[in-house]
Structure formats: structure tokens, C-alpha cells
Amino acid sequence: MKKIPLIITAIIFSLTLVSCSSRSYEEAMKVPEEKFYKGQYLEAAKLLLPDVNKAGKDQLLFMMECGLMLHSGEDYEKSNKVLLPAAKLAQLIPISVTDQISSFLTSDVNSDYRGEDHEKVLVHMYLGINFLMLKKYDSARVEFLAVNNELAKIRSEDGSPRYKQNVMAKYLTAIAFEINGELNRDDKDIDYAYTELKQVYDLKPDLAMVKDDLLRLSKRLGYDDDYEDWQKKFGKGYNVNENSGEIVTIFQSGRGPIKKSRGSLLKDKDMGPIINVTLSTGNLAAGVTIAAILVTLQTAENPIPKFVKRSNKTDKIKIEAGGKSISTVMLENVEQTAIQNLEDDYGRLYKRVAISIATKAAAAVIAGVAAKAAAEQIKDLGPFASLIGTAVGAATGAALFAQMRPDLRSWHTLPANLQLGRITLKPGKQKVRYVLIGDGGIIDTVEKEVEIKKGEKTLVNIRTLY
């Protein structure tokens, strides 16, 4: 009995590998995500704990998802226990531009998930909010400052910053420093808060509440010249009763975007033409045609995904209490940042990815033709000769690019945006009415009893899931 040649065994084995796959991240998240969006936050988080504690390619994602589920369930201590190591893990798996391009040419879901830029930033954002809710203001300051440090690291290839500072993080940094300064009677912290608020004003000069903050802190710090300048600029002074307290509402609205495929590679308006040009200007081996190479790419997907928006029915919250009314203001548009982040990546990578794909496709077909020609010279192979040509062509051509697909993993439980609302009230227990407003008017109303303390800030954290 003749032995099957080693080359055939290798081909069969490689095709088997292509067809086999382990449970995907999306499959693992299905039930926990369903529970999360039913408001069963802690039950959902519990289902992910085995994956959180197990090293693997998706561990960072499971940690981020679980941490946010615990945060939404108001278990801020446990949320931090998950998100703190997540922040460290995200720093351990960086990727270069070269590695990033290479990852698109294989099944990228087999690699360790490194986190999108905006996701790494938001890990620190949620840590900061957790510490604020736990009244650990010094730790909150550290995490909000880390948000801006992460943003500073995100650079274009020419070294210029790719993103502006995060207004929500800067505002919450100011709140954390001001609270800490008042508790410890440390004017340096309050001065730092004042500096952060001036930067918020530069970034968002139409934000009404930052004007009140600048007036209040310049007066509190005795910066008389600044106070007079702000008065002239804003056309008002600061007259709030010093015995009052304040509610600071953090509102997390809707469902953040998720990744989807861009569709057919050859039909892509950017990549398709570059692949054709690359093949037409290349030196092809005898017996190899452009048409033969394009056949291997007929079913290939564009390997670079895109973010798409999901549901977000609430535009803002109207906060009513003590005869006053204010509305929350969006300070961080998570969905827009995510979409822009990936589009920026696409813009700087698609040409090089397309050229690499065309080159690899040509090499695969050339290898298949060469293997078939070599097999036909080996008499001992008999009927296996034609099989080798077919199998090698499939394994190195169409089958190779069939497994090249976009990595659709992302942090699913993020909100669409983050908003903030501040309202000053008399001390004591206050009934606060939160009116959720969308395009068609009032969506829902939530009432909470909140205790206001003289000279203090009380934080309220709200999340909508629709």
C-alpha cells in the first residue's frame, strides 16, 4: 500500500484547521448581553466572571464588559477590581502599524484583543466615575488624569495628536479636584480644578454650567481680576447661596456602536481599484492571469471593519427639583468617537492592506500553479497529481482568503454618549424628577429622593438601555 505523500497530508491538515474554530466572543456574550439589556446587570456580570479570570485572547474584552456591568449595577468596588487590571492589561498588548496590517491578512479574531483607542480611554473614565461614586476623590483624580494621558498617546504617523481632549473627563477631573480641595482645605487642588475648567471653556465655550463654575471658583480663590473678566464676558456674576448644596448627575445614554463588516473586498470603492492596479502593474509568472488571482478573492470580505450606531432614544434628561429645572448636556459622544476612530484607521491603512492582499493573492496562485506543475512530474503520485494542484490552489488561494474576515469584537455594553447636569439646591432631602426626553417628547420619568448637604456635591449616576 502506497503512503499518501507528505505534501497531501499537510494540505488536508491545513484545510481542516481552516474549517475548525472555537466559540466566538459574540457567542460567549449572547446570554450575558441579553441579561444586561434587560437591566439584570449583576446577573450578567456573574456569567462573565469565569472568562474574566481566565487568560485568553478575549480576556481584556470580558474584563471591560464585566466591569461596566458591575458599574451599571452600582457595585462600584467590584467594578474597580475588574477594571483596574483591565487598564494594565490594555497597556501590555500594544500593536505596531506593521503588525496591524499583518493581522488583517489572517483571521484577526485569533489574536489577543488589544482594545480600540476609545475603549482604553473609557476604561479609565469608568474607573474615575466609580471612585467618585465611592467618594474616593483622590483616586478619581488619578483616573481622570489618565484619560487625558491616554489621549495624548494617540498620535498620527506624523506625530500630531489624533484626538482632542475629552471634555467629560476634564470636567469630572475638575469636580474631583474641587471636592478633594474643599475636604482637605487645599487651595492648590481647587486651583487645579479652576485650570481644568478654563480648558473646558476653551473646548466648549457655549457650555452654560462651566461659566457658573469659572465665576464661582475665581471668586472662591480670590482671583478678583479673573472674576471681573468673567463677569464682563458672561454678563453676570455668581450669586448662589453659600449654604446650598449641589446634585451632579452623570447620564449614560443608550447603546454604543458595534462593529460590522464593510462587505465584499473587491466591491469596496477604495480597496477594489487598488487591488486591480497592483495586479496589473506586477510581474506575474507564466500561466498566471489577473482573472485567476481575482477568483481567489471573490468571497473575501474587507478585513477592516466599521462601527455602526445602535439604539439611543434619549437625547437628554430634564432634571426638576426645588422649583428649578436644568437639562443634561452631552460632553462625550462615544458613538461618534468610535466611528471616527475606526475611519481614521481605515484611511491610513487601507492602501497598504490592499497592496498586501493583492501581493499575497498573486503569490498564492503562483504557488498553486507551481505545485501542480511539480506534481505532474512525479510519476509515483498517479491520480493524486491533479488533487495536489486543486488542493494547493484551494488552501493557498480561495480558502486562505475565505478565512480572512474582519475582527468584529468590541466593547458592546458601552453607552452611546455621556452627559452631565448640575443643579444647586437647599440642604435636606429633595425629591428629584428626571424626565427623559427624545425626539418625540417625553419617553419616561424617574423620581429619586436625594439628600443634599450644605456645601457638598451629591453624585447621581443614571444609565438608559434603549
Side-chain angles (χ1 to χ4, degrees):
M1 179 178 176
K2 291 185 178 180
K3 292 183 179 180
I4 297 177
L6 182 61
I7 187 171
I8 296 178
T9 306
I11 290 166
I12 294 171
F13 180 65
S14 68
L15 290 174
T16 303
L17 285 179
V18 169
S19 65
C20 294
S21 60
S22 58
R23 187 175 70 145
S24 70
Y25 168 73
E26 287 78 7
E27 291 170 333
M29 275 295 295
K30 190 175 186 303
V31 174
E33 193 170 354
E34 285 175 356
K35 286 188 176 293
F36 176 81
Y37 283 115
K38 289 178 181 177
Q40 300 171 18
Y41 305 125
L42 301 181
E43 294 91 334
K46 188 176 180 180
L47 291 175
L48 291 181
L49 286 176
D51 296 295
V52 166
N53 295 316
K54 182 174 63 179
K57 60 187 177 64
D58 296 325
Q59 186 181 20
L60 176 60
L61 267 169
F62 287 125
M63 294 170 88
M64 294 190 299
E65 300 283 17
C66 184
L68 184 47
M69 289 172 175
L70 290 166
H71 166 90
S72 301
E74 299 184 0
D75 195 336
Y76 302 117
E77 288 280 11
K78 286 184 181 177
S79 177
N80 278 348
K81 288 180 180 179
V82 176
L83 291 179
L84 281 168
K88 292 180 180 178
L89 181 60
Q91 301 301 318
L92 297 176
I93 47 176
I95 187 169
S96 66
V97 172
T98 302
D99 290 339
Q100 197 170 1
I101 293 171
S102 297
S103 70
F104 289 131
L105 305 182
T106 59
S107 182
D108 196 40
V109 292
N110 292 322
S111 63
D112 288 344
Y113 188 76
R114 65 186 180 88
E116 296 292 341
D117 289 335
H118 75 282
E119 293 172 347
K120 293 179 183 179
V121 167
L122 289 171
V123 168
H124 291 288
M125 174 77 82
Y126 276 103
L127 282 166
I129 295 173
N130 284 345
F131 282 123
L132 272 184
M133 300 306 296
L134 292 167
K135 299 184 178 181
K136 296 180 179 180
Y137 305 113
D138 192 52
S139 296
R141 296 183 311 171
V142 172
E143 295 303 331
F144 291 131
L145 289 173
V147 169
N148 293 320
N149 290 337
E150 283 294 327
L151 286 168
K153 294 177 187 177
I154 304 171
R155 299 273 170 175
S156 298
E157 290 178 63
D158 63 2
S160 61
R162 288 174 60 194
Y163 299 102
K164 293 181 179 179
Q165 292 296 299
N166 185 307
V167 177
M168 185 73 168
K170 294 195 80 65
Y171 213 119
L172 293 177
T173 301
I175 288 173
F177 269 88
E178 184 182 353
I179 294 174
N180 207 60
E182 293 292 358
L183 286 174
N184 298 309
R185 298 180 181 178
D186 186 349
D187 280 359
K188 288 183 180 179
D189 274 359
I190 297 173
D191 181 73
Y192 192 94
Y194 180 58
T195 300
E196 289 290 291
L197 290 167
K198 286 192 289 185
Q199 292 177 18
V200 169
Y201 177 73
D202 289 340
L203 292 166
K204 203 171 179 68
D206 60 338
L207 188 60
M209 58 185 168
V210 76
K211 298 176 182 179
D212 291 332
D213 292 323
L214 291 170
L215 286 164
R216 184 186 71 256
L217 289 191
S218 59
K219 189 174 184 179
R220 160 69 178 77
L221 291 164
Y223 296 163
D224 295 336
D225 291 343
D226 280 11
Y227 182 70
E228 288 180 14
D229 288 343
W230 295 128
Q231 276 185 307
K232 291 175 184 177
K233 185 171 285 189
F234 303 149
K236 63 178 183 179
Y238 180 73
N239 301 308
V240 176
N241 189 332
E242 293 182 358
N243 291 322
S244 63
E246 184 180 22
I247 295 177
V248 178
T249 299
I250 298 170
F251 173 42
Q252 304 172 46
S253 179
R255 304 186 182 193
I258 56 174
K259 289 178 182 174
K260 295 287 186 182
S261 171
R262 291 177 186 266
S264 169
L265 175 65
L266 292 181
K267 292 180 181 178
D268 186 87
K269 65 180 180 64
D270 297 311
M271 287 224 195
I274 292 174
I275 289 172
N276 278 284
V277 169
T278 302
L279 294 175
S280 64
T281 56
N283 295 318
L284 301 181
V288 178
T289 65
I290 292 175
I293 298 170
L294 291 177
V295 166
T296 70
L297 299 174
Q298 285 299 317
T299 61
E301 289 182 70
N302 187 323
I304 305 179
K306 62 180 179 179
F307 269 112
V308 295
K309 294 181 180 181
R310 289 194 291 172
S311 174
N312 181 27
K313 297 180 180 178
T314 309
D315 294 331
K316 62 183 178 181
I317 290 181
K318 188 178 180 183
I319 305 169
E320 301 174 344
K324 297 181 179 182
S325 174
I326 63 101
S327 294
T328 57
V329 180
M330 186 198 306
L331 296 185
E332 173 59 19
N333 191 333
V334 175
E335 62 183 8
Q336 187 56 45
T337 299
I339 291 168
Q340 188 61 51
N341 184 3
L342 212 47
E343 289 309 304
D344 286 349
D345 282 345
Y346 184 73
R348 68 192 177 92
L349 294 174
Y350 79 89
K351 290 182 181 179
R352 281 174 283 184
V353 171
I355 291 170
S356 296
I357 288 172
T359 304
K360 197 167 186 178
V365 173
I366 290 169
V369 170
K372 183 177 181 181
E376 289 171 347
Q377 302 300 314
I378 304 174
K379 294 180 180 180
D380 290 344
L381 291 179
F384 290 116
S386 60
L387 175 62
I388 289 175
T390 303
V392 171
T396 59
L400 174 69
F401 292 105
Q403 70 166 323
M404 183 187 71
R405 58 189 185 275
D407 182 0
L408 302 182
R409 294 174 295 175
S410 65
W411 193 349
H412 282 196
T413 50
L414 284 171
N417 61 65
L418 294 163
Q419 302 184 25
L420 198 69
R422 304 179 69 167
I423 186 168
T424 55
L425 297 166
K426 294 179 180 179
K429 291 185 177 179
Q430 296 270 7
K431 287 186 178 180
V432 184
R433 192 165 178 257
Y434 290 95
V435 184
L436 282 62
I437 300 173
D439 286 340
I442 296 174
I443 297 173
D444 197 3
T445 300
V446 178
E447 291 190 355
K448 292 178 177 286
E449 187 173 80
V450 181
E451 186 171 359
I452 310 299
K453 295 183 180 179
K454 173 184 172 182
E456 293 187 16
K457 293 174 175 58
T458 301
L459 283 101
V460 175
N461 191 17
I462 295 176
R463 170 75 190 265
T464 55
L465 302 172
Y466 39 77

